[in-house]
Amino acid sequence: MATEARKLRVGIFVIVAIVIGLVLAIWLGASRYLADESQAVTYFSESVQGLDRGAAVKYRGVPAGRVERIDIAPDGDLIEVKMSIDNRYADLLFKDPTLRAQLQLSGITGLRYVEIDRHTGDALENAPTLSFPPSAPLIPSTPSQFKAIQEALEDIYQRVMSVDLPGISSDVRATLQAADQLL
């Protein structure tokens, strides 16, 4: 008889553990769908290599959401990044016209995240122009610091390559020959 009671208790324990596990799994899975979030979108005119689904969206370093989807925009040129923004920050992020989304590196791993911060001057004008209506409330973007460094290096390279080295060389040679004859 004690064996029958023990089997019953073990069976009840196993059933209760399975039910608790299922409820916990459903609750964790559904919490993503029940979260109080708003959708937002931004468009980048540069490579988003290193930005993945689920990457952080931060407002001045504070986690404010996550990247939901990365796709090519309807114009075929820009990259569309759809984000879920916590509703605690949504009013702030959707109403401030000085906010811009920017790709940032997460340490030395090469992974990226979306940083939303206030900008002034040229950064406000550098947002890509859209030839289509955005699929959600828009947070304009500005080129990343890496992109700015890359463009500056390309400009320096073009300036160095445009220097007339053969002309300078012949001028120096002519000047040295004239100095040699004078001396």
Side-chain angles (χ1 to χ4, degrees), residues 9 86 131 145-146:
R9 278 188 260 150
D86 190 325
S131 59
Q145 294 168 346
F146 182 75

Side-chain angles (χ1 to χ4, degrees), residues 42-58:
T42 190
Y43 296 92
F44 292 104
S45 60
E46 62 185 288
S47 173
V48 294
Q49 178 70 33
L51 183 68
D52 294 322
R53 245 181 110 214
V57 174
K58 297 181 179 184

Side-chain angles (χ1 to χ4, degrees), residues 84-176:
S84 290
I85 304 293
D86 190 325
N87 278 342
R88 294 178 296 170
Y89 309 108
D91 286 341
L92 171 72
L93 298 180
F94 296 149
K95 292 181 181 174
D96 189 343
T98 65
L99 290 180
R100 294 293 182 264
Q102 190 175 41
L103 292 174
Q104 295 290 342
L105 284 174
S106 180
I108 60 171
T109 61
L111 296 177
R112 292 186 177 199
Y113 67 95
V114 177
E115 177 74 29
I116 300 173
D117 201 353
R118 289 187 177 92
H119 289 272
T120 58
D122 290 341
L124 295 175
E125 307 302 320
N126 288 340
T129 55
L130 304 180
S131 59
F132 53 88
S135 60
L138 177 68
I139 298 175
S141 69
T142 191
S144 66
Q145 294 168 346
F146 182 75
K147 176 83 171 173
I149 291 170
Q150 183 181 12
E151 288 174 355
L153 288 174
E154 286 176 14
D155 183 48
I156 291 170
Y157 174 76
Q158 291 300 325
R159 288 180 186 204
V160 167
M161 295 309 291
S162 68
V163 172
D164 182 21
L165 291 178
I168 292 172
S169 176
S170 66
D171 289 347
V172 168
R173 185 174 289 132
T175 303
L176 288 176

